[in-house]
């Protein structure tokens, strides 16, 4: 069975730079600090692109890349760099494949053996509607005592992704390949901060669709940097 993806406490912000703009790690962290008042570290999330004809040479050269990692001497992953040097398609494809394997394992070992459960969002909404009637700790207890949620906890699947798992493979995969490209927030070249309007899955999709569209619109000479905030 594929290894489930554990929940992460890190928030990942994608910082975008216009062509010709200073785009080193200091500039990226400064933008994050100005808008989010937080410090971060480089997050190696992007696969490095190797062109067919000259890839045999450029795979060993770190120009236009930020915090690149090597394997057997060749550059494989980076926290950012020039858009044209990053394999965004490969990054999304790898995330989609991993997510599909997780969903299929969940479908086989959990969905086929337990009945459908109410997602965390339902209990959270009840708590927010009347905090005195349903306290947060009690809402969490009721959510986690459901057999399907208990099974997910036992097999190390993130139960707070239950609504996405239950929405089907395409939805689950679609969420995670977008997250692989964008993370949790995006800072545009003109300094705008894009974030989800709420914690709901629907709002996350709206944000990720907007951010992915923005990323596609950038020229290949624009630069990106992924910053992880603990």
């Amino acid at each position: 069975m594929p290894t489930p993806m554990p929940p992460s406490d890190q928030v990942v912000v994608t910082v975008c730079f216009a062509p010709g703009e200073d785009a080193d790690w200091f500039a990226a962290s400064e933008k994050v600090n100005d808008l989010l008042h937080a410090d971060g570290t480089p997050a190696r999330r992007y696969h490095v692109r190797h062109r067919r004809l000259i890839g045999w040479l450029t795979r060993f050269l770190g120009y236009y890349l930020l915090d690149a990692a090597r394997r057997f001497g060749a550059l494989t992953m980076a926290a950012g760099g020039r858009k044209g040097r990053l394999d965004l398609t490969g990054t999304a494809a790898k995330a989609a494949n991993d997510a599909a394997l997780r969903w299929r394992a969940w479908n086989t070992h959990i969905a086929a053996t337990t009945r459908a459960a109410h997602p965390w969002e339902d209990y959270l909404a009840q708590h927010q509607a009347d905090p005195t009637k349903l306290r947060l700790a009690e809402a969490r207890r009721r959510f986690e005592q459901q057999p399907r949620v208990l099974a997910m906890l036992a097999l190390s699947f993130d139960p707070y992704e239950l609504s996405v798992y239950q929405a089907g493979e395409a939805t689950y995969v679609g969420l995670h390949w977008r997250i692989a490209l964008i993370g949790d927030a995006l800072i545009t070249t003109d300094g705008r901060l894009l974030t989800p309007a709420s914690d709901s899955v629907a709002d996350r999709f709206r944000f990720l669709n907007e951010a992915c569209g923005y990323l596609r619109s950038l020229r290949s000479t624009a630069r990106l940097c992924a910053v992880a905030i603990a």
Side-chain angles (χ1 to χ4, degrees), residues 4-9 102 106 110 120 140 143-144 148-149 151-165 172 175-176 204:
M5 185 178 67
S8 175
D9 293 329
R102 284 196 304 275
W106 174 88
I110 296 175
W120 166 242
R140 194 178 302 278
F143 167 67
E144 292 182 346
R148 176 164 290 186
V149 176
M152 292 180 71
L153 287 168
L155 293 176
S156 299
F157 289 90
D158 184 0
Y160 296 93
E161 285 194 326
L162 176 61
S163 61
V164 194
Y165 275 111
Y172 185 80
L175 177 69
H176 280 279
R204 290 184 73 191

Side-chain angles (χ1 to χ4, degrees), residues 60-207:
F60 301 106
L61 303 177
Y63 67 93
Y64 297 137
L65 292 173
L66 293 175
D67 195 46
R70 296 180 183 271
R71 185 178 183 184
F72 304 119
L75 295 160
T76 55
M77 300 291 292
R82 179 179 281 190
K83 181 183 172 183
R85 284 224 66 190
L86 303 177
D87 186 2
L88 300 182
T89 300
T91 300
K94 176 64 165 58
N97 181 68
D98 291 346
L101 292 176
R102 284 196 304 275
W103 187 91
R104 292 167 190 172
W106 174 88
N107 191 49
T108 298
H109 298 283
I110 296 175
T113 59
T114 59
R115 64 180 181 270
H118 295 288
W120 166 242
E121 292 86 350
D122 290 357
Y123 293 92
L124 183 60
Q126 293 177 39
H127 160 71
Q128 292 173 339
D130 191 347
T132 59
K133 184 177 181 181
L134 182 64
R135 297 188 180 280
L136 185 61
E138 176 61 16
R140 194 178 302 278
R141 187 194 68 79
R142 292 183 186 181
F143 167 67
E144 292 182 346
Q145 74 176 0
Q146 298 177 98
R148 176 164 290 186
V149 176
L150 288 173
M152 292 180 71
L153 287 168
L155 293 176
S156 299
F157 289 90
D158 184 0
Y160 296 93
E161 285 194 326
L162 176 61
S163 61
V164 194
Y165 275 111
Q166 292 186 154
E169 180 177 355
T171 302
Y172 185 80
V173 170
L175 177 69
H176 280 279
W177 72 253
R178 288 169 172 84
I179 290 174
L181 292 178
I182 304 299
D184 303 288
L186 181 139
I187 299 175
T188 65
T189 57
D190 57 357
R192 291 180 296 119
L193 176 65
L194 304 183
T195 60
S198 74
D199 291 332
S200 74
V201 176
D203 279 337
R204 290 184 73 191
F205 265 115
R206 292 186 185 97
F207 152 71

